[in-house]
Amino acid sequence: MRISAAILCAALAASSVAQSHPRDAAIHNADTKSWWHTTEDLSNDSMEGRDTGSAAYQRAADYVTTRFKAAGLQPAGENGSYFQTVPMHQIDVDPKKTYFTLTIGKSGELGTGFKFLEEITAAPPADAVTDRAADVVFRGYCGKDAMDGVSGKFVICFGTQRSGLPSGAERAANVRAAGAVGIINIDDPYFTIEPPRWPVAYARSVTLITSESRRPAGKPFLSLRLSDEAFTGMMGGSGHDAAAILKSGGAKQPLSNFDLPGYSLHAHLETIEKDISSPNILAVLPGSDPALKDQYVVIAAHLDGYGFGTPVKGDNLYNGALDDAAYVALLIQMADDIKAGKLPAPKRSILFCAFTGEEKGLLGSNWFTTHLTIPKEKLLADVNLDQLRPLFPLNILTAEAVNDTTLGQTARDVGAKMHIEIRDDKEPERGLLRRADQYPFLRIGVPAISFIFGYDPGTDAERRYREWYEVRYHRPQDDLTQPIDFDAAAKFNTFFYSLVRAIADAKEKPEFLHGSQFMK
């Protein structure tokens, strides 16, 4: 694709919004200041949250491409371009035409009104209009042995994420196989390491368009999520103690199965569908060593955000500043620094990837790893930048897949020189390994690693980290005004530069360790 002069002007115009740089006084490092200015360009309001498939995302993609080209990176996409088109299909639940009505008793008395996107949400069904009414039953953790008497009904399940209990996918499979019309997962308010968040931005599914894409046959199976507060209100007068159920579920204690006589849920959903496309941005810095330049180290971050969604405190624009504009900006900063001679040119080639559709299910990285523009055998490693929150001094980094590949030891060696301790993930129930763009690389056999700012339990650092997830994660409050520890950001950026250089210049290639779950 050729970038027109008009598009270039529009992309560069976005940066003028942030030209006053109001936070410069808090930044003591010139490299960090430049990085933050690019973050401002990518996540100011004119970029409209960079939602996958939107015109705003394309503006951001054009901006990144312009910066990559200016830094001397070569195109590594399709047809000699920087872009790799990712074809997708989008289904939105229309909030204006969707409603959920709970009735109790033969008289049809209204029990609980559910506010869509604030108390209840739904995975978009394949049918344009879904209208289902059915009785409601409760089946605890929804294991296979709890599925008696659920055919033709909505099944309430305790939506645990805890190990040793049925996962979300297992619950849904069990309920569907038993002939129920749908599942209602109740939030676990005791999962405090990452508490449930409401409202949600929207009810939307985006899937890759592939030759295997097809609609499921038969009547639609509805997958709903209900807040614990709404569940408590729903259970009033049922004879069952909602608070006790939630507390027991949160503690992994046994839960009783019971029917709810007279309880009926009417779910009416209408959807809007369209095909969309959105590009990955792929660029290469050729290696300086002729014997090694045919080997590539991937460095990646995701460009997409959520765009416009349900308002929170009067703001409906989900800017996605730290998640993940700041780390696309770090890719750009590294390229600029190498061109300017501030960082040494790496011996191996570096493949810079800004992926699309991460927030919709790692779509861009999945598409890339199944439609490689560089042969897999030439990809040595992937360092993914996501889930990074420079909110407090950097002394600890949690590393995903740290014990799966030799990249873990490389990270420890680099970190030790900077007095950064590298730890494994102490909260595996959150599933962070599988929630970011390093995961598709690991699945195809490419060693990969990613990082999270770490902390000791009970410290101020933990408090700030938890507060960010409660208040800002996937919310409009992840914007340019949020608290940032710029010294910590500078330290991580330096760590990242050093790690990439260590991988790119090492004599040995990264390898999977014996016993890794990703060993082929």
Side-chain angles (χ1 to χ4, degrees), residues 426-471:
K426 305 301 183 185
E427 299 172 349
E429 290 174 318
R430 296 175 65 194
L432 296 179
L433 172 63
R434 291 169 171 78
R435 285 167 54 181
D437 284 326
Q438 70 276 352
Y439 190 60
F441 285 89
L442 290 164
R443 286 175 56 186
I444 67 166
V446 175
I449 196 167
S450 64
F451 301 94
I452 305 159
F453 272 55
Y455 46 82
D456 287 318
T459 61
D460 183 62
E462 181 183 20
R463 181 192 63 78
R464 295 187 191 189
Y465 182 89
R466 303 292 187 205
E467 186 269 350
W468 194 92
Y469 266 90
E470 183 175 352
V471 174

Side-chain angles (χ1 to χ4, degrees), residues 100-102 114 119-123 132-142 147 150 153-160 168 171-172 175-176 180-188 198 221-228 230-232 234-235 245-246 260 263-267 269:
F100 301 86
T101 304
L102 178 73
F114 298 136
E119 295 178 319
I120 193 169
T121 188
R132 305 301 298 275
D135 292 342
V136 181
V137 298
F138 181 84
R139 291 296 183 265
Y141 300 113
C142 288
M147 292 295 106
V150 306
K153 299 177 182 179
F154 281 105
V155 181
I156 301 175
C157 305
F158 187 80
T160 184
R171 292 192 298 271
V175 172
R176 182 194 290 266
V181 302
I183 185 172
I184 306 172
N185 281 297
I186 305 301
D187 284 345
D188 178 359
W198 295 88
F221 176 82
L222 293 183
S223 180
L224 310 179
R225 174 188 163 213
L226 191 67
S227 74
D228 57 287
F231 172 69
T232 300
M234 170 184 178
M235 296 298 288
I245 292 171
L246 294 171
L260 289 164
Y263 276 65
S264 178
L265 178 68
H266 180 193
L269 292 83

Side-chain angles (χ1 to χ4, degrees), residues 14 32 89 112 125 166 199 212 281 286 322 326 350 383 408 412 437 448 467 477 498 505 507:
T32 308
H89 185 69
T112 303
E212 293 80 26
I281 303 99
L322 290 184
I350 307 295
V383 181
R412 290 187 179 101
D437 284 326
E467 186 269 350
Q477 286 67 38
S498 301
D505 291 356
K507 292 181 180 180

Side-chain angles (χ1 to χ4, degrees), residues 362-398:
L362 316 186
L363 300 184
S365 55
N366 272 303
W367 185 266
F368 174 75
T369 54
T370 53
H371 300 78
L372 292 169
T373 60
I374 291 174
K376 175 190 163 185
E377 59 270 17
K378 296 184 178 183
L379 300 180
L380 264 67
D382 165 58
V383 181
N384 190 54
L385 298 173
D386 193 7
Q387 306 177 124
L388 291 156
R389 318 289 180 236
L391 308 170
F392 44 82
L394 175 55
N395 301 307
I396 302 166
L397 282 172
T398 294

Side-chain angles (χ1 to χ4, degrees), residues 292-316:
L292 297 175
K293 65 184 301 181
D294 204 33
Q295 301 172 12
Y296 294 79
V297 176
V298 178
I299 58 175
H302 72 87
L303 181 59
D304 63 300
Y306 273 84
F308 291 100
T310 308
V312 180
K313 296 183 179 180
D315 187 354
N316 71 336

